[in-house]
Amino acid sequence: MAAALSSRFLKGFASLQALRSTGLASSSVYQNGMMRYSTTVPSDSDTHDDFKPTQKVPSGSTDSLKDIVENDVKENPVMIYMKGVPESPQCGFSSLAVRVLQQYNVPIGARNILEDQDLKNAVKSFSHWPTFPQIFIKGEFIGGSDIILNMHKEGELEEKLKDVSGNQKSQ
């Protein structure tokens, strides 16, 4: 069994080397011995609409992404832009931020930045901060999970959240 797998692997590797030597593999596909995959959508008329990027903000909407972010931050006393959603975070930092915030039993507004690259860029532009999660409390950009955790440990987060409705810190 191991010999068969080894043989298959070597045959696949040899065909990849042959493809590379014929020039059929472009530099964007095969670089430095590693396969690279493109995430761009070709402007090919044969590309099916199901595979083309979609616009997450309705085209008839008068709100720009900046307006949406401003509104989110204004309308939600605690707003987090994260990878995933509070019920199902998709990265450890987002998970940590949600767990810390949930200790205070405050309502948390959230948006999944993985669903919309344009929204992700708008949030970065709005806060002038490159990483996620990004947490806003009462309209003020606070930072990421490391900042929230430190504020929690120092007692500063409890003070910041004291007048947010529903705030009763869990023990």
Side-chain angles (χ1 to χ4, degrees):
M1 173 88 168
L5 287 174
S6 177
S7 174
R8 259 195 181 160
F9 174 76
L10 291 174
K11 283 181 184 175
F13 185 73
S15 65
L16 186 58
Q17 291 289 12
L19 178 66
R20 184 174 167 216
S21 66
T22 62
L24 294 176
S26 71
S27 62
S28 63
V29 175
Y30 190 85
Q31 296 174 341
N32 302 325
M34 295 188 64
M35 289 296 289
R36 302 285 183 199
Y37 298 94
S38 173
T39 58
T40 59
V41 177
S43 57
D44 184 357
S45 61
D46 290 336
T47 300
H48 192 275
D49 288 340
D50 288 347
F51 300 104
K52 291 181 181 176
T54 58
Q55 186 175 4
K56 299 292 181 184
V57 178
S59 59
S61 174
T62 57
D63 290 342
S64 71
L65 287 170
K66 181 181 180 233
D67 293 336
I68 289 170
V69 173
E70 285 176 355
N71 193 47
D72 283 349
V73 170
K74 186 172 82 175
E75 299 284 321
N76 297 284
V78 178
M79 183 68 196
I80 181 170
Y81 292 93
M82 61 183 288
K83 295 177 181 177
V85 293
E87 299 78 25
S88 181
Q90 295 183 3
C91 95
F93 297 112
S94 292
S95 177
L96 175 62
V98 168
R99 285 184 288 143
V100 169
L101 290 169
Q102 286 176 338
Q103 293 293 309
Y104 297 89
N105 294 321
V106 293
I108 301 171
R111 284 202 190 254
N112 181 358
I113 53 100
L114 297 175
E115 292 180 346
D116 189 343
Q117 184 66 37
D118 292 334
L119 175 66
K120 179 179 178 181
N121 291 332
V123 173
K124 285 181 183 183
S125 176
F126 182 80
S127 66
H128 306 291
W129 194 257
T131 60
F132 289 90
Q134 292 190 13
I135 299 122
F136 295 81
I137 298 176
K138 295 186 265 184
E140 178 187 353
F141 175 61
I142 301 300
S145 59
D146 55 338
I147 305 293
I148 289 293
L149 181 60
N150 189 48
M151 288 177 72
H152 171 69
K153 288 178 180 177
E154 299 294 323
E156 298 170 17
L157 189 56
E158 185 172 19
E159 181 66 27
K160 192 82 168 158
L161 294 171
K162 75 178 179 184
D163 59 346
V164 174
S165 71
N167 181 15
Q168 293 181 0
K169 186 177 176 188
S170 300
Q171 297 300 327

